[in-house]
Amino acid sequence: MYQYDQYDQAMVDARVEEFRDQARRRLEGKLTEDQFKPLRLMNGLYLQLHAYMLRVAIPYGTLNSRQMTALGDIADKYDRGYGHFTTRQNIQYNWIKLEDAADILADLAKVEMHAIQTSGNCIRNISSDHFAGATFDELVDPRPYAELLRQWSSFHPEFTYLPRKFKICVIASERDRAAMRLHDIGIQIVKNEAGEIGARFFVGGGMGRTPMIAPMIRNFVPLDQLITYAEACLRVYNRYGRRDNKYKARIKILVHELGKEEYTRQVEEEFAHMLDIGVEPPREELARIAEHFADPTFEYGPKTVDRSDPDFALWVDRNTHRHKHDSYVSAVISLKPVGGIPGDATGEQMRLMAQLAKRYSFDEIRIMHTQNVVLPHVQIVNLPALWSELDAAGLGAPNMDTIEDMIACPGLDYCALANARSIPLAQRISEAFDASGKTEKLGELKLKISGCINACGHHHAGHIGILGVDKKGVENYQLSLGGSEAEDVSLAKITGPGFTEDGVIEAVEKVTDVYLARKEGEERFLDTYRRIGMEPFKEALYG
Amino acid sequence: MDNPLGTSPDEVQFRFREDEVADHATVTVDSCCDQTNATAVRIEPGDDARVLLPFLDRLALVEVNFPGFADGRGYSAARILREAGYTGELRAVGDVLIDQLSHMRRCGFDAFAPDKPLDEEDAARAFATWGNVYQRADDTSGGRRKTIAELRHD
Ligand code: HEM
Ligand code: SF4
């Protein structure tokens, strides 16, 4: 995995010093809160309902055991003993004191980490496939391109005061495990007919109050023009993205209002100009970065394992993913124990995951956008030992991609913008389905909950989505069906009038019953919905 | 004052040029295109800087106004002018604060006239924030400064 050289380290150190200086000037009254706000935001410091929240970047979701240990230590030292992994493959601490912020950033810098550009109207942390570099089905490892983009987008002098935040995602397989087309820019690394590797650009996706699927604007950008093309996309946005209305400021609105053709035309014009100017890093830089992502030395070993323990066998079936080396798998550590807070881990659990990564996964860890953790390279022969340690620590839930593997935003328990609570609802749903034993029968079913229209919980992209709305001061929940953030991307449709908290749990029961009754063959919930349409579900809910 | 828009030389707090401070009344981008003798112009956030490209030879001063620091269009305007070969004074005016100075400098601004004068020491520190830089921008053009990637492969 990527390691800082003296230049990268100096950049992060410079930023810590800059932030210390900003905090000093704020305390000396030289900066107003209005002036300080965008600066603290660019360093990941949000003001929430009860305290400051610090969001730490985990570039393309990859980290090593030393970094994971540091995250656990920060949870214990500066927070209340836990941290929250997010849908952007980052971690958030919900109970931070402003006075501690600079010290936390300094602790992070010691392990090559930071909170740079994790909020604010700038290019945010780049996300990627959580199985990158390990999965059987990828063309190449997408992370070198993500790292190239990370360096380009860090402290970009022109794009630090964009109309709105900007999220980029890079994947390199046909399967989309990173919600690529729901990003401001989604990049898929592809091979063209001549056998060359290049980048396919999708621009203008996003969730929030106006969800949109990014259209493709360029089929193939040669790799030695990748940064140049991204720069052209951003410049057009920086100049013409709407700044009159915060809710219309994302690039998806610009692409939508101009039309894909006109936006593309402007980008191509800017791109041609920039090719003349020359903004691309030297070609050798990509090669240098790629060396950091070379495969570890895989060893041959057994390809099967004793499955006589049914609990273990279930976990293997649910929580492992096929590896490019057939003696290995990628193992998913679920942060969705029944009745738990989706995505939360204690400091102690983080340190344990770090140790396990060191022992069983070449020191590598990934964070999934579904708020779980991956050990990407586990030898099949080591699975029983890994599983028993995870299970003992409450980290062995066998529920990846099931209804219990919910995404839920912080909601009204933490967030100042929330209409309704998300976490308690998620907890109750997982308890109900676990108790009735229906989870297993339902198979792959992606349920996603947001506490308000900002859609941090990806509800538009849920096979089942739940959105908290405020109905005359009472928490109310809207149900939607048919969304997907995978390669078969689609936006969910609202079923009809909303429900109370109890009512929405009952409604989820009802729609899953419709599925079980109407399912044909190997269909997933989503497939059945697509085949039979909304009516049968509406009938069951409101009929 | 025939031109309430422009800043005067004594409002310029920081300047990275050897030549005399240009003391010209600035005109709007629209009138710059009509008035063949205008030598100084002021760009507002919504203006298209490329409209000025045919007149760059006669311009000695371009002011880019930042009515609010969070509106970043002026950064693109600055780079566009420099990319087109503009060598006259490029002055950032308006809501220009300490923490924007280093990025503005990288985009090609070489004079700064903030609404409220900035602390000299804080500003000196801000201009020196980045010992090295990742991206190509105005400051790396013409071989003036190497990016980190270029230093790595020197
Ligand atoms: C609790 C503090 C939080 C606040 C105040 C907040 C605020 C917001 C706002 C205002 C938006 C809409 C932006 C727009 O459409 O322009 C948004 C979108 C989003 N947030 Fe959050 N958020 C918070 C926490 C989180 C967390 C914990 C996660 C991850 C689990 C998250 C992930 C996202 C995602 C994925 C989007 C959608 C991005 C898109 O529209 O493309 N947020 N957030
Ligand atoms: S979806 Fe709304 S309630 Fe949930 S975290 Fe985002 S802003 Fe807060």
Side-chain angles (χ1 to χ4, degrees):
Chain A
M1 86 179 238
Y2 190 71
Q3 273 184 342
Y4 282 6
D5 65 0
Q6 85 261 25
Y7 296 111
D8 299 307
Q9 189 65 49
M11 292 302 279
V12 172
D13 292 344
R15 186 50 171 267
V16 174
E17 282 320 302
E18 188 189 39
F19 183 69
R20 248 187 228 291
D21 192 55
Q22 289 162 347
R24 172 186 65 77
R25 280 182 282 126
R26 173 74 187 108
L27 292 170
E28 288 172 3
K30 286 177 174 169
L31 286 175
T32 65
E33 176 52 26
D34 271 0
Q35 292 166 346
F36 183 58
K37 187 177 165 194
L39 305 175
R40 68 167 162 71
L41 282 179
M42 273 174 215
N43 288 287
L45 254 193
Y46 265 93
L47 191 55
Q48 294 197 89
L49 268 185
H50 313 290
Y52 278 101
M53 168 195 98
L54 180 71
R55 188 181 286 163
V56 177
I58 302 176
Y60 31 91
T62 294
L63 70 173
N64 62 25
S65 55
R66 198 164 139 249
Q67 294 171 322
M68 186 63 125
T69 302
L71 294 179
D73 291 346
I74 288 171
D76 286 343
K77 188 165 164 198
Y78 302 103
D79 200 293
R80 297 184 175 176
Y82 56 90
H84 180 74
F85 289 97
T86 79
T87 51
R88 303 231 57 254
Q89 302 174 295
N90 290 330
I91 184 169
Q92 288 181 183
Y93 297 103
N94 282 317
W95 302 99
I96 293 301
K97 294 195 201 68
L98 184 54
E99 307 85 88
D100 290 336
D103 289 336
I104 302 177
L105 296 183
D107 282 5
L108 288 168
K110 285 185 205 139
V111 293
E112 306 182 5
M113 294 188 89
H114 58 72
I116 295 159
Q117 292 174 208
T118 55
S119 45
N121 294 335
C122 49
I123 304 172
R124 304 287 189 87
N125 188 30
I126 316 277
S127 54
S128 185
D129 188 337
H130 44 252
F131 294 135
T135 183
F136 72 101
D137 61 355
E138 76 187 0
L139 183 62
V140 289
D141 188 338
R143 292 172 303 162
Y145 312 104
E147 172 59 24
L148 193 69
L149 286 158
R150 180 192 74 81
Q151 294 184 22
W152 162 75
S153 61
S154 296
F155 322 112
H156 197 294
E158 188 177 338
F159 305 135
T160 301
Y161 296 94
L162 295 167
R164 201 73 178 88
K165 58 182 165 182
F166 205 90
K167 303 178 181 181
I168 302 177
C169 174
V170 190
I171 66 170
S173 54
E174 286 302 320
R175 289 285 308 278
D176 180 1
R177 290 173 281 259
M180 182 269 288
R181 289 185 69 190
L182 296 168
H183 284 73
D184 297 284
I185 293 183
I187 296 173
Q188 184 186 356
I189 304 297
V190 293
K191 200 180 251 181
N192 68 7
E193 279 159 14
E196 298 150 342
I197 307 270
R200 182 173 290 164
F201 270 68
F202 298 86
V203 182
M207 286 182 259
R209 61 189 65 215
T210 327
M212 287 192 193
I213 295 169
M216 183 177 78
I217 71 155
R218 186 54 122 90
N219 193 28
F220 191 87
V221 177
L223 285 183
D224 55 1
Q225 299 175 352
L226 176 71
I227 295 299
T228 311
Y229 203 79
E231 183 128 341
C233 291
L234 262 298
R235 178 174 285 177
V236 173
Y237 171 56
N238 190 44
R239 300 186 74 207
Y240 298 111
R242 285 182 63 170
R243 292 177 188 262
D244 59 324
N245 180 344
K246 174 176 159 177
Y247 300 120
K248 301 201 161 151
R250 296 288 294 268
I251 194 173
K252 62 192 173 188
I253 304 292
L254 176 69
V255 174
H256 182 75
E257 287 182 352
L258 285 178
K260 172 190 124 166
E261 286 70 28
E262 175 56 18
Y263 173 76
T264 308
R265 189 192 64 75
Q266 294 189 15
V267 169
E268 291 291 335
E269 210 171 277
E270 197 68 63
F271 177 57
H273 161 70
M274 281 176 176
L275 285 175
D276 287 343
I277 301 297
V279 298
E280 196 71 27
R283 185 75 201 239
E284 312 89 75
E285 179 59 5
L286 190 53
R288 184 192 73 89
I289 292 172
E291 283 173 23
H292 288 276
F293 294 94
D295 281 345
T297 327
F298 295 123
E299 286 169 24
Y300 286 89
K303 298 174 182 36
T304 54
V305 64
D306 175 11
R307 297 167 54 92
S308 51
D309 180 337
D311 290 341
F312 170 66
L314 180 65
W315 180 80
V316 170
D317 290 343
R318 274 266 162 248
N319 286 35
T320 62
H321 178 80
R322 189 171 147 201
H323 199 275
K324 61 185 173 190
H325 190 294
D326 60 8
S327 304
Y328 286 77
V329 290
S330 300
V332 172
I333 303 175
S334 169
L335 297 182
K336 318 285 174 69
V338 174
I341 297 177
D344 270 16
T346 64
E348 208 172 322
Q349 287 176 327
M350 288 184 233
R351 282 186 295 269
L352 174 70
M353 292 189 276
Q355 283 169 21
L356 294 174
K358 203 164 194 171
R359 208 169 322 141
Y360 298 121
S361 181
F362 296 96
D363 207 27
E364 260 200 54
I365 303 168
R366 308 291 171 72
I367 308 304
M368 303 169 78
H369 85 273
T370 51
Q371 307 178 280
N372 295 314
V373 174
V374 178
L375 301 185
H377 315 293
V378 180
Q379 230 186 338
I380 288 174
V381 69
N382 287 328
L383 283 173
L386 172 64
W387 175 73
S388 49
E389 289 199 54
L390 288 174
D391 200 40
L395 291 168
N399 55 14
M400 176 182 150
D401 287 342
T402 67
I403 191 165
E404 292 173 22
D405 187 12
M406 267 168 281
I407 292 182
C409 79
L412 203 51
D413 294 285
Y414 293 102
C415 176
L417 306 176
N419 287 324
R421 289 168 302 157
S422 316
I423 293 170
L425 184 60
Q427 291 170 315
R428 288 189 56 192
I429 292 176
S430 79
E431 278 164 357
F433 279 80
D434 185 67
S436 70
K438 239 160 80 177
T439 301
E440 188 53 26
K441 272 184 254 163
L442 293 169
E444 181 185 315
L445 207 176
K446 299 187 181 177
L447 185 106
K448 303 181 198 286
I449 309 175
S450 304
C452 82
I453 195 150
N454 288 315
C456 304
H458 291 197
H459 68 277
H460 301 297
H463 298 180
I464 300 178
I466 297 177
L467 165 65
V469 290
D470 181 74
K471 203 173 166 194
K472 301 193 185 95
V474 182
E475 293 172 52
N476 194 265
Y477 296 91
Q478 243 172 28
L479 191 70
S480 52
L481 303 176
S484 170
E485 57 195 3
E487 58 284 357
D488 60 352
V489 60
S490 60
L491 298 172
K493 288 202 175 64
I494 297 169
T495 54
F499 304 91
T500 61
E501 185 178 329
D502 288 337
V504 80
I505 296 173
E506 214 176 294
V508 172
E509 291 276 3
K510 283 182 185 159
V511 295
T512 54
D513 286 339
V514 172
Y515 158 66
L516 289 176
R518 302 288 301 271
K519 160 182 188 191
E520 286 179 7
E522 294 297 299
E523 274 181 349
R524 303 168 299 164
F525 177 91
L526 183 64
D527 304 320
T528 305
Y529 168 83
R530 284 178 176 166
R531 179 172 54 79
I532 68 180
M534 179 65 96
E535 270 321 303
F537 295 95
K538 266 191 162 164
E539 181 64 30
L541 288 171
Y542 308 104
Chain B
M1 283 284 286
D2 55 345
N3 185 357
L5 276 180
T7 48
S8 72
D10 40 310
E11 288 172 81
V12 177
Q13 194 184 359
F14 308 101
R15 197 161 183 276
F16 298 81
R17 299 180 64 88
E18 302 297 319
D19 57 353
E20 289 268 304
V21 182
D23 185 9
H24 307 275
T26 55
V27 301
T28 63
V29 168
D30 280 351
S31 24
C32 181
C33 303
D34 304 338
Q35 276 168 253
T36 50
N37 58 352
T39 58
V41 63
R42 178 184 182 103
I43 298 182
E44 296 296 336
D47 291 333
D48 178 2
R50 289 211 161 96
V51 169
L52 296 175
L53 298 191
F55 317 111
L56 290 186
D57 283 350
R58 68 168 204 237
L59 292 176
L61 168 66
V62 177
E63 287 188 355
V64 178
N65 187 25
F66 291 84
F69 71 90
D71 187 331
R73 285 177 281 186
Y75 296 83
S76 291
R79 280 192 74 189
I80 284 168
L81 294 177
R82 290 301 188 205
E83 285 164 3
Y86 174 67
T87 55
E89 179 170 335
L90 191 51
R91 190 185 292 174
V93 309
D95 196 17
V96 174
L97 306 169
I98 293 287
D99 298 282
Q100 284 82 50
L101 295 176
S102 62
H103 284 339
M104 286 180 169
R105 191 82 184 90
R106 293 210 60 210
C107 288
F109 287 104
D110 55 10
F112 300 84
D115 279 345
K116 290 196 204 83
L118 304 175
D119 184 303
E120 296 278 341
E121 246 178 70
D122 291 342
R125 203 175 299 124
F127 280 122
T129 305
W130 308 115
N132 285 302
V133 294
Y134 282 124
Q135 312 80 3
R136 294 243 173 104
D138 178 62
D139 55 348
T140 67
S141 67
R144 278 179 293 156
R145 182 182 199 181
K146 287 197 161 100
T147 64
I148 288 173
E150 287 159 347
L151 290 168
R152 279 173 177 148
H153 301 283
D154 235 3

